[in-house]
Amino acid sequence: MKGQAASEFHDFFEQHHAELARLAHLLTGEADAADDLAADALLAVWHRWDRVRAADHPAAYARGILANLVRGRIRSAVRERRRVALFWARHPEHVASPDVPVVVDVQEALRRLPFRKRACVVLRHAFDYSERDTALALGVSVGTVKSQTSKGMAQLEQLLGARAVAELAGGKK
């Protein structure tokens, strides 16, 4: 039975590692940390594999673990002022004008959003998840996803301009 569980987890890992790393990169803005966070999330999934594989949505469970790891990482950074200052200093704003979409640095704008808004916007628009799947991944209600996505998109519109946000959202806001 252990061999079967290991095989199932291996298949799960192969199927979802890249997606989790991409999600971690978009949520943190740190390419170097993305693989580590995805690996940590998958290690946590492995430790709970019996429970995860019995879940209705194992991938959503893994995304939830990843979101919690990212949230913890961000909270730690906030507590340490020096790290926060270094983090923001490494990412200067590249936007000359919010009305010029060609010059806009989308990752910088996403970094300016609070975690929950950023997570909702990224999952809904970059990953094209439904409101329900986003809610499952973040452990929040569908109503929270709707409100946080709306507020996040409005904040991005202030930072990037309406035209750029319409392009990012693929015409749907």
Side-chain angles (χ1 to χ4, degrees):
M1 194 65 165
K2 277 191 173 192
Q4 181 182 354
S7 176
E8 287 175 7
F9 177 76
H10 181 321
D11 293 343
F12 181 87
F13 180 96
E14 291 295 324
Q15 187 176 3
H16 296 286
H17 177 264
E19 171 195 348
L20 290 171
R22 213 171 68 225
L23 175 58
H25 181 238
L26 288 170
L27 291 176
T28 64
E30 298 178 47
D32 295 339
D35 280 332
D36 291 341
L37 286 163
D40 289 346
L42 286 164
L43 180 62
V45 166
W46 171 245
H47 288 300
R48 300 175 184 96
W49 185 241
D50 288 340
R51 192 175 343 153
V52 174
R53 72 182 186 175
D56 290 337
H57 303 284
Y61 195 103
R63 288 189 296 268
I65 290 172
L66 178 72
N68 286 334
L69 289 171
V70 170
R71 187 179 300 116
R73 180 179 179 86
I74 290 170
R75 284 182 180 155
S76 294
V78 168
R79 279 186 231 116
E80 299 178 31
R81 292 177 189 250
R82 186 178 54 178
R83 282 185 62 208
V84 170
L86 290 172
F87 176 76
W88 291 111
R90 286 188 302 161
H91 304 289
E93 186 167 337
H94 298 288
V95 179
S97 168
D99 297 309
V100 184
V102 181
V103 186
V104 173
D105 181 352
V106 176
Q107 286 186 337
E108 177 64 26
L110 285 170
R111 278 187 207 100
R112 291 181 175 197
L113 297 179
F115 175 79
R116 187 170 287 170
K117 286 180 190 174
R118 181 179 347 132
C120 287
V121 167
V122 166
L123 289 171
R124 292 283 293 126
H125 296 291
F127 282 80
D128 204 26
Y129 285 132
S130 68
E131 290 166 343
R132 182 178 173 274
D133 288 342
T134 301
L136 279 171
L138 298 176
V140 299
S141 70
V142 171
T144 298
V145 169
K146 288 179 181 182
S147 100
Q148 293 296 294
T149 302
S150 175
K151 290 175 183 177
M153 292 301 285
Q155 197 171 344
L156 284 176
E157 188 170 319
Q158 288 178 336
L159 294 168
L160 302 173
R163 182 174 162 207
V165 170
E167 288 179 27
L168 287 174
K172 61 177 179 172
K173 198 166 94 169

